[in-house]
Amino acid sequence: MLVALILALLGVLLLAPPLSTNARTPALAAGVCMGMGAVVLSGRLSLFDMVTGLWAQDAATDFAQLVALAATVLAITLQRDRPHDAVPPGALVLAAAGACALASATHAATAIAGEALLAVALGIMLRAAGQELAGLVWTCGVGIAATLAGAGVLMWVTHGAALDRIAIGAGASPRGPLLAGVGVLLCVGLSPFTLLLPGGVWLGRSRRIPAALLGWILSVLPIAGTIPCWRLTRSLHDLEAVIGSEWRSVLAALAVISLCASTWQALRQRCLRRLWCWLGIGNASLFAFGLAAGAPGAHVEAALAGHACASLIAHAGAGAVLTMAEGWWGGNTRLQRFVGLGQRNAFLGVALGGFLGLLSAIPFTAGFFPKLHLMLAGQRGGLTWLVVPMALGLTWVGLVALRTARVLFHVKEKGRAEPLVGSPGLTLLVGLLGCAALGLGVRPLTVAWGY
Amino acid sequence: MSFPVLSLLIGLPLLTALCVAAAPRRWCRWVAVGGSVLGLGLGLWAFLDIERDSAADLQAAYEASGGILERALDRAGLSDPDTREVMRDLLRGQEPESEEVRDALEALAGVRTALLRRREVVQLGQPPVEVERAEQGLLLARARVAELTASFESLRLDLREFRRVAYGVQRRGFRRIEYRAWIPQLGVSYFLALDGLSAALVCLTQLIALLVIGGVRRGNHVRRQCVLLLCLQAGLLGVFLSLDAVLLFNFWVLSLLPAYLMVATGRGGPERAGAALRFVIPHALSSVGLLVALGALALHAPDGPSFNLLALAEVAAREGISPELQRLAFVGLFVGCAVRLPLVPLHGWIGALQEHASAPASAMVQGAFVKTGVFGLLRFTWPLCPDVVTSPGVVTALGVVAGVTVVFAGLTSLGRRRLSRLLTSLTILHGGLFVFALVSLTPASLAGGLLLSVTHGIAAAGVCMALGMLRRRGVERLPHCAGLAHSAPRLALVTSGLFLTLALVPGGGAFVGGLLALYGSWQSGLIEPWIAPWVIAGLLMSPAAVYLLLQRFWARGGDLPRGELRAAEASVITPALVLSVFLGLHPRLLLDGVHTWLHGFLQLLTD
């Protein structure tokens, strides 16, 4: 919580006029985020968090905070070349604060507070990007209300008090299984920050989000939004003797429907940024599937951590390439523009195709083993009937990525095309992310079990 | 571990691809050819060496598994040399995961507890403070024992792998084992090994890759074509050498991606994008079934999840997998392989691909990629579902599928007006005949099926390259072929020879293979007798279709001249013809190499 508090203060400071117009503000914001990352790594702030009682500083929180901070630094770096339409770094830091708060919340009230902070920061960022806010305000409002209602239902069913300490009191509701399903559906499905459909539809409908910001949203929000749900469902798993296990099927089915629906939307897109956005929403639904499949002993947390890393790499990499493309073509990222990119800059063509492919389960990359682990956990947990459509959905994602790769390597005309030169810094970043994707594909235990 | 030849075999094409990507454009093809020649040499060496004395390899297998043992002892915190020696002696027995090991572990814990108790008794006469200290010491020792027990749990996990590797290797006669635990929690390992089956298919892949790379035309896309070809080659080699289901599945999917990109972005027909999509969609969907089936089997392994194909086959052979699960898994595995083979009605992709893809892409797909279906049936579908594949109902059903495929292919070959479509029909026919041979489960039929398959790979790749040459000369449909033998006699001769080999005409390896397959099926008596006449009728239709083609070649007329076969072109397709004829004249070259594998395979299924 202290991390979130410091970041929030800094975010407000950076949004104030003297600092928000200063050219060195991005560097300052990135530096502070890195410093906070080091603090999280060293674990020095955990004492304060444990004292407050309503927040937790455990491995999951550390992980989410590190991902949020890393994504924030990346997003600030990616925008370096486009100062005219960049999102204010202060807003990004504020959003990181919201994500950190949400990830460390252990009570429904603190989770809602984190969500509210995140919603405000997102509003500022999207407004700066020229996005109409009416839809966001409506969706976030409904989503937060639904989360609150869902948490309330679950607490009533289980007579519990906190997300990670739910206890069955005397005379638990006889309609437990049904209500538990409804509660989880409200809590997870309608939350705007798990990016699960229908709660995450606001992102799919947003049209003017720059690639750097979109990368941040896609990599941070699902993790921050999923961790409170993970605390909740971990308790529900322990209570299955009383409340039944139907909620798992409901949640897994919702995740699979969300995956397939968003991939279908991705297939219809003619703009690469929006295609990526829908693929990212589909990819986020695997977190919810993991929550449903994560029976005790399945070690599904390891798979979720690996999946989160793969998402971060994929979204940061795709964001970097698309940021370069926005620079080349004045913000236009229509798919037609990318025809023959592989011929004009083979490295970036391969990288973009690879990063989109990472969202499916391409072998020997960071995306494969977490998804395999989730599938096996689902099979072990009796969700085989949902594992098959999930695998088909992932195959569909792979086909969309392959179709995009074909466009990238399609040869428009004979002869040598004019080469496109990317920014050296971003190209280096793309290379490093590519190495990380391959490295985690070959040594998946580095993140999944080492944390 | 000895020198990792198999990893090198897979890695060499990838390394060559990197060199090709970095080389100047005019050197690209030569770099690729050089890498392929090296790969072919390695593959041939491995194949010809496969039947040598197995003592060295057995030793290597024990060394590999011994490495697991040493690591396990390290992780268990047993640093004392004497204790390690005792554990080694105990664990190197025939059954390392037996009750004795558990007893040994429990005894070890018991000894420690007894020592502490004795110390406690000695201290009985001491003042209360000392007694309290002793009790604390006892508590600490108990904690240590508990810790040791936890370590032994992980030791047992590793020993399970030890047993799986050593036992499977010993029983099935694999060579050049490369084993490393990859994700022990999921039962996934990096497990490569070579047997007769994989060695034959590795050589085939290397040979076809060399021919195809040699036939890539100079131009703008030579670098990309070579890189994709080499990546595809690496993926296929990985499939043929993997003995872990997850590793195999990784390569299985990995081989699909470059194949798709080769078809979609190569120099094919205008509809190549659609053909690529028709190619990739059924393969990707069938891969899902394959993965789910493998996952279900792996989770039902009695010792916890394991993707080790040898261990799973042993479990299945000992009736450790329920018939219901085997039936469900068989559907997933068989469909996954049948799409690749291809069998009717899952053959839709191959026609479009052959018509619209570039010659190198279709040669690689028809010659080598299709063989992954053959390999999948032999490596995991049959061994993992032994009860299903030997049950009379399934045998009859598969015989009918094979018969329908052969008759369908024979009939369609008679009506084809395009050369590429004729080749497609012949490929489908070979797939059907292979399944017919496989269902019979006799040494003759299996040897025949494999010979048929290898010969088809070589000849089909040659025909694809020849069709590319003909396409450049304006010959795509049957009417265009009129008089080709007069304007380009050498090209017509080689193309005719390759087509005749594919049509199972005497003289080629496919003829011997087909004959053996039919003989083996008759010998086994497993298949219903009414299916065989249909298969023979289908087989007789394909030579008729090819004779019609030859008639066109040698007819008078047509638009002359078309250009004779150049030396560079001849160097690509002539070796294919020579080899497929040589396999017909000297089939023992292949059959001797697969002898041990064949008997191990049949023993596994019929024991």
Side-chain angles (χ1 to χ4, degrees), chain B residues 459 462-463 465-467 469-470 484-485 488-502 549-550 553-554 564-566 569-578 580-581:
Chain B
V463 169
M465 297 308 287
L467 290 185
M469 293 163 197
L470 286 173
L484 185 74
R490 285 198 295 274
L491 180 56
L493 189 72
V494 178
T495 311
S496 311
L498 287 168
F499 264 117
L500 284 170
T501 310
L502 281 178
L549 171 71
L550 299 192
F553 277 3
W554 265 269
E564 181 51 298
L565 191 66
R566 291 193 295 271
E569 293 174 331
S571 67
V572 174
I573 57 173
T574 314
L577 177 63
V578 171
S580 44
V581 172

Side-chain angles (χ1 to χ4, degrees), chain A residues 362-364 368-369 372-373 375-376 379-380 391-392 395 399 402-403 406 409 411 415-416 441-442 444-445 449, chain B residues 25 182-183 185 220-221 224 246 250-251 253-254 260 264-265 273 280-281 284-285 288 291-292 295-296 299 307:
Chain A
I362 290 193
F364 297 116
F368 181 78
F369 275 108
L372 176 74
H373 195 164
M375 283 174 59
L376 291 177
Q379 274 183 303
R380 209 180 288 175
L392 287 173
T395 310
L399 290 177
L402 268 182
R403 193 195 65 161
R406 182 180 63 77
F409 284 92
V411 180
R416 290 181 75 98
V442 177
L445 295 186
W449 277 275
Chain B
R25 185 181 292 192
W182 194 2
I183 307 178
Q185 291 87 339
N220 285 337
H221 316 304
R224 188 200 309 161
V246 170
N250 269 283
F251 284 119
V253 176
L254 201 65
Y260 168 81
T265 64
V280 78
I281 286 176
L285 294 181
V288 171
L291 182 62
V292 172
L299 286 180
F307 285 91

Side-chain angles (χ1 to χ4, degrees), chain B residues 447-598:
Chain B
L450 201 59
L451 181 61
L452 189 77
S453 199
V454 171
T455 315
H456 167 265
I458 298 169
V463 169
C464 287
M465 297 308 287
L467 290 185
M469 293 163 197
L470 286 173
R471 197 184 289 166
R472 287 200 291 278
R473 290 166 172 82
V475 179
E476 280 194 69
R477 293 170 172 271
L478 273 184
H480 301 157
C481 301
L484 185 74
H486 303 289
S487 59
R490 285 198 295 274
L491 180 56
L493 189 72
V494 178
T495 311
S496 311
L498 287 168
F499 264 117
L500 284 170
T501 310
L502 281 178
L504 280 79
V505 170
F511 171 74
V512 182
L515 210 60
L516 276 171
L518 288 175
Y519 170 70
S521 313
W522 171 76
Q523 204 180 21
S524 80
L526 279 172
I527 301 178
E528 294 285 335
W530 53 268
I531 299 175
W534 287 99
V535 171
I536 294 169
L539 290 180
L540 290 176
M541 287 179 216
S542 58
V546 173
Y547 286 138
L548 285 175
L549 171 71
L550 299 192
Q551 202 179 354
R552 299 269 185 173
F553 277 3
W554 265 269
R556 288 278 168 197
D559 307 326
L560 302 175
R562 290 197 182 90
E564 181 51 298
L565 191 66
R566 291 193 295 271
E569 293 174 331
S571 67
V572 174
I573 57 173
T574 314
L577 177 63
V578 171
L579 265 170
S580 44
V581 172
F582 183 72
L583 278 175
L585 300 175
H586 189 60
R588 290 183 69 88
L589 178 71
L590 178 78
L591 300 183
D592 284 350
V594 297
H595 182 261
T596 309
W597 163 77
L598 197 63

Side-chain angles (χ1 to χ4, degrees), chain A residues 72-384:
Chain A
T72 308
V73 172
L74 277 172
I76 292 170
T77 316
L78 286 181
Q79 305 195 110
R80 197 177 51 89
D81 296 338
R82 310 184 61 209
H84 53 286
D85 57 352
V87 171
L92 271 167
V93 174
L94 199 62
C100 290
L102 187 57
S104 58
T106 59
H107 192 278
T110 46
I112 300 292
E115 285 195 343
L117 182 59
L118 196 50
V120 169
L122 272 177
I124 296 171
M125 288 199 291
L126 294 182
R127 192 75 193 89
Q131 177 77 35
E132 289 296 326
L133 287 185
L136 177 74
V137 170
W138 171 246
T139 322
C140 281
V142 170
I144 291 173
T147 313
L148 192 61
V153 169
L154 285 173
M155 304 236 167
W156 179 61
V157 173
T158 56
H159 292 216
L163 290 178
D164 58 351
R165 287 196 297 278
I166 289 176
I168 290 286
S173 168
R175 290 181 183 172
L178 177 68
L179 286 175
V182 172
V184 168
L185 206 61
L186 284 172
C187 246
V188 187
L190 286 183
S191 165
F193 304 117
T194 51
L195 292 191
L196 200 64
L197 296 183
V201 79
W202 66 272
L203 184 60
R205 295 182 67 182
S206 308
R207 290 184 179 276
R208 292 183 190 165
I209 307 180
L213 178 55
L214 194 57
W216 187 92
I217 291 175
L218 288 172
S219 49
V220 174
L221 281 201
I223 300 170
T226 302
I227 284 183
C229 304
W230 169 69
R231 294 191 204 286
L232 187 69
T233 51
R234 201 173 45 172
S235 308
L236 294 182
H237 278 296
D238 298 338
L239 300 176
E240 279 188 358
V242 183
I243 61 166
S245 60
E246 286 78 2
W247 65 272
R248 294 172 52 203
S249 304
V250 170
L251 187 55
L254 184 69
V256 171
I257 292 169
S258 176
L259 173 67
C260 294
S262 49
T263 311
W264 170 249
Q265 282 290 336
L267 200 62
R268 294 175 55 213
Q269 301 305 319
R270 293 288 170 269
C271 169
L272 193 52
R273 194 168 43 194
R274 291 178 55 70
L275 181 148
W276 167 44
C277 173
W278 279 110
L279 284 185
I281 292 173
N283 201 49
S285 62
L286 293 180
F287 285 108
F289 189 88
L291 297 185
H299 302 297
V300 83
E301 291 84 3
L304 290 180
H307 180 56
C309 281
S311 295
L312 177 66
I313 292 170
H315 293 310
V321 180
L322 286 183
T323 303
M324 279 190 259
E326 282 174 345
W328 294 326
W329 301 316
N332 187 343
T333 51
R334 289 188 71 79
L335 206 52
Q336 203 60 32
R337 283 274 182 182
F338 287 81
V339 175
L341 175 72
Q343 200 187 10
R344 302 173 74 182
N345 188 330
F347 176 72
L348 291 184
V350 171
L352 184 55
F355 287 130
L356 291 180
L358 205 60
L359 297 176
S360 70
I362 290 193
F364 297 116
T365 61
F368 181 78
F369 275 108
K371 291 174 184 83
L372 176 74
H373 195 164
L374 284 178
M375 283 174 59
L376 291 177
Q379 274 183 303
R380 209 180 288 175
L383 296 172
T384 309

Side-chain angles (χ1 to χ4, degrees), chain B residues 259-302:
Chain B
Y260 168 81
L261 287 174
M262 275 180 77
V263 176
T265 64
R267 271 199 245 193
E271 301 290 322
R272 58 181 183 271
L277 216 56
R278 284 185 69 180
F279 163 68
V280 78
I281 286 176
H283 283 94
L285 294 181
S286 64
S287 300
V288 171
L290 193 75
L291 182 62
V292 172
L294 288 172
L297 289 170
L299 286 180
H300 285 81

Side-chain angles (χ1 to χ4, degrees), chain B residues 36 161 293 314 463:
Chain B
S36 297
E161 287 301 312
E314 294 291 342
V463 169

